[in-house]
Amino acid sequence: MRKASQQARDIGARVEEFVRETVAPYERDPRRDHHGAPTDELVEELRDLAKKAGVHTPHILPDGSHLSQVDTAHVLIRSGLSTLGPIACNTMAPDEGNMYLLSHVGTPALKERFLEPLKAGARSAFFMTEPADWGGAGSDPSMMKTVCEKDGNGWRINGRKTFITGAQGARVGIVMARSQDPDSEGGACMFLVDLPDPAIRIDDVPNTIDTSMPGGHATVTIDNLRVPGDQMLGEAGEGFKYAQIRLSPARLSHCMRWLGACLRAQEIAIDYACRRSAFGKLLIDHEGVGFMLAQNSIDLKQSELMITWCAEVLDSGDLGTTESSMTKVAVSEALQRVADNCVQVMGGIGVTDKTMVEQVYREIRAFHIYDGPTEVHKWSLAKKLKRAWHESQS
């Protein structure tokens, strides 16, 4: 199994020092919006500090190239050691995934106009998921009802989207819509848009169990949004293919960041268990507690190995759809056990906001759903098993 390069280890060391020493003290900063996410003021302050420390957008090198996925994992795990770390370092979702997609599919002109601001710290949103009460696309993108049609030298888009992370406050949007044009009818298209735009109306930003992502997860209505033709990302009708380019690395990036958060939660729980006494001995000396922390160490190491394995597959040039599904399921379930054990070990203090442990517990629960629910990934894997069996019988 390939190790991170010396370059990545050097970047990771700087990121870890910055997150532990500079970012972590901000975890109890009261500048939060109505659903608990950091305000734009806090985000900008943290990113200014990251720029001064030389760790802003650390996964993209000065020449514009991305670190390999193995190297990215080394860096993003360390950015996740605080729930504010990915925000400060500009390695958070959906921005990190959107930068990856733009760098792989965007034209030089689109990269200059949209990617460069993202690298500098502008926030973005990826408009794909649609409301269930509208019958739109959720885990099944083939159900997409938002449509685009040719309008002179541009396109006109109408529809609705939901759970659009970061839509409120974003400066750049990537909008997916099903083409009504005869040349690409039925296929999906992706468009880059400047935000805010009066044609994209935010209807609701609900309070959610997770609170780490600025802008929340909005429901929006897209009403006659006109986009110039040169702002289409890639080719008409190829949007679902481009989504796959983005989705596997984005799933893996979530695993990287949350592994970092759970490593820190484990540190906090061990520190507590090694200081707190009950019934005549330290908590960690009670098997009920010590075994939970030991199991956490096993789950954390297994998660690290799964992430590295999947990263190597992506670095080989494979889309890694199967591997990223396996990794997303395994890591999210393992990290949920880790977070739950940390809360349990810490008892009453574990369910308060005195440490970041309770937030990590909430965030990991949401991670079971984001970027594809566990059940959808398992269903997809089961279909592949059935297909492989049929092929073996022929």
Side-chain angles (χ1 to χ4, degrees):
M1 191 165 285
R2 185 161 62 86
K3 294 183 178 180
S5 68
Q6 185 59 53
Q7 180 183 42
R9 292 198 293 271
D10 291 342
I11 296 171
R14 295 199 303 273
V15 168
E16 179 168 355
E17 180 181 12
F18 171 72
V19 172
R20 287 186 183 277
E21 300 299 325
T22 303
V23 176
Y26 279 86
E27 288 168 353
R28 296 176 66 183
D29 192 296
R31 287 175 288 178
R32 306 280 173 158
D33 64 16
H34 74 89
H35 65 98
T39 62
D40 287 342
E41 178 187 14
L42 178 53
V43 171
E44 290 173 11
E45 184 173 325
L46 288 169
R47 291 190 171 177
D48 284 343
L49 291 169
K51 290 172 184 176
K52 291 176 183 176
V55 293
H56 189 262
T57 322
H59 58 295
I60 301 180
L61 301 175
D63 65 1
S65 63
H66 281 242
L67 292 174
S68 70
Q69 286 295 299
V70 169
D71 283 356
T72 296
H74 188 84
V75 174
L76 263 61
I77 289 169
R78 283 148 185 83
S79 75
L81 288 167
S82 168
T83 51
L84 292 173
I87 295 169
C89 295
N90 201 24
T91 60
M92 63 178 288
D95 302 326
E96 185 270 335
N98 290 342
M99 285 186 268
Y100 184 91
L101 177 62
L102 264 168
S103 70
H104 283 73
V105 181
T107 63
L110 289 177
K111 290 178 183 179
E112 178 66 27
R113 180 171 172 187
F114 294 102
L115 178 57
E116 291 305 315
L118 294 186
K119 288 163 59 177
R123 290 203 290 107
S124 62
F126 189 73
F127 295 78
M128 183 172 70
T129 304
E130 298 174 341
D133 61 8
W134 193 52
S139 297
D140 182 358
S142 69
M143 296 170 61
M144 186 168 293
K145 295 182 67 176
T146 297
V147 296
C148 60
E149 51 190 333
K150 279 281 189 67
D151 181 19
N153 62 352
W155 293 74
R156 192 170 298 277
I157 306 172
N158 285 279
R160 297 182 67 204
K161 299 290 182 179
T162 196
F163 297 118
I164 307 306
T165 302
Q168 190 168 64
R171 301 291 300 279
V172 174
I174 300 177
V175 179
M176 282 191 71
R178 185 177 291 279
S179 175
Q180 302 296 291
D181 183 67
D183 292 335
S184 54
E185 188 171 2
C189 300
M190 283 189 181
F191 300 91
L192 284 154
V193 298
D194 294 298
L195 297 174
D197 188 297
I200 301 178
R201 183 179 71 248
I202 294 179
D203 300 321
D204 179 45
V205 184
N207 293 326
T208 55
I209 193 172
D210 62 317
T211 56
S212 67
M213 298 180 184
H217 310 289
T219 296
V220 305
T221 296
I222 303 174
D223 185 12
N224 284 319
L225 171 68
R226 194 178 189 287
V227 184
D230 60 4
Q231 287 178 217
M232 178 180 285
L233 186 60
E235 301 295 327
E238 298 294 325
F240 292 129
K241 181 178 75 174
Y242 302 144
Q244 290 305 312
I245 292 173
R246 180 188 185 278
L247 288 176
S248 289
R251 288 184 199 125
L252 191 59
S253 296
H254 271 307
C255 296
M256 298 170 191
R257 289 183 292 262
W258 292 123
L259 174 57
C262 283
L263 285 166
R264 174 111 176 283
Q266 171 82 337
E267 291 174 6
I268 293 169
I270 290 172
D271 182 73
Y272 183 84
C274 288
R275 295 176 185 273
R276 181 82 160 103
S277 294
F279 305 104
K281 55 185 176 182
L282 293 171
L283 290 184
I284 198 166
D285 291 329
H286 292 274
E287 284 189 359
V289 173
F291 282 14
M292 281 193 284
L293 294 172
Q295 182 61 52
N296 279 1
S297 293
I298 296 168
D299 282 333
L300 289 167
K301 177 54 69 174
Q302 289 177 335
S303 296
E304 177 191 349
L305 294 172
M306 285 287 288
I307 289 169
T308 303
W309 165 68
C310 184
E312 288 184 336
V313 171
L314 294 175
D315 283 339
S316 74
D318 195 292
L319 279 176
T321 305
T322 296
E323 292 82 2
S324 68
S325 286
M326 289 181 175
T327 302
K328 200 271 183 178
V329 170
V331 171
S332 64
E333 293 186 350
L335 295 185
Q336 186 69 64
R337 292 191 296 269
V338 170
D340 185 73
N341 283 342
C342 288
V343 170
Q344 193 70 17
V345 164
M346 295 179 69
I349 199 72
V351 297
T352 72
D353 62 359
K354 300 299 183 183
T355 73
M356 53 100 79
V357 170
E358 67 85 23
Q359 184 186 358
V360 172
Y361 178 84
R362 290 187 286 105
E363 302 284 345
I364 298 298
R365 184 61 190 85
F367 178 38
H368 280 285
I369 296 170
Y370 298 164
D371 271 329
T374 295
E375 293 73 22
V376 171
H377 287 293
K378 288 182 176 179
W379 173 72
S380 176
L381 292 168
K383 285 202 304 179
K384 292 174 182 176
L385 293 174
K386 181 181 178 181
R387 184 164 60 247
W389 179 83
H390 277 295
E391 291 173 355
S392 72
Q393 303 303 303
S394 59

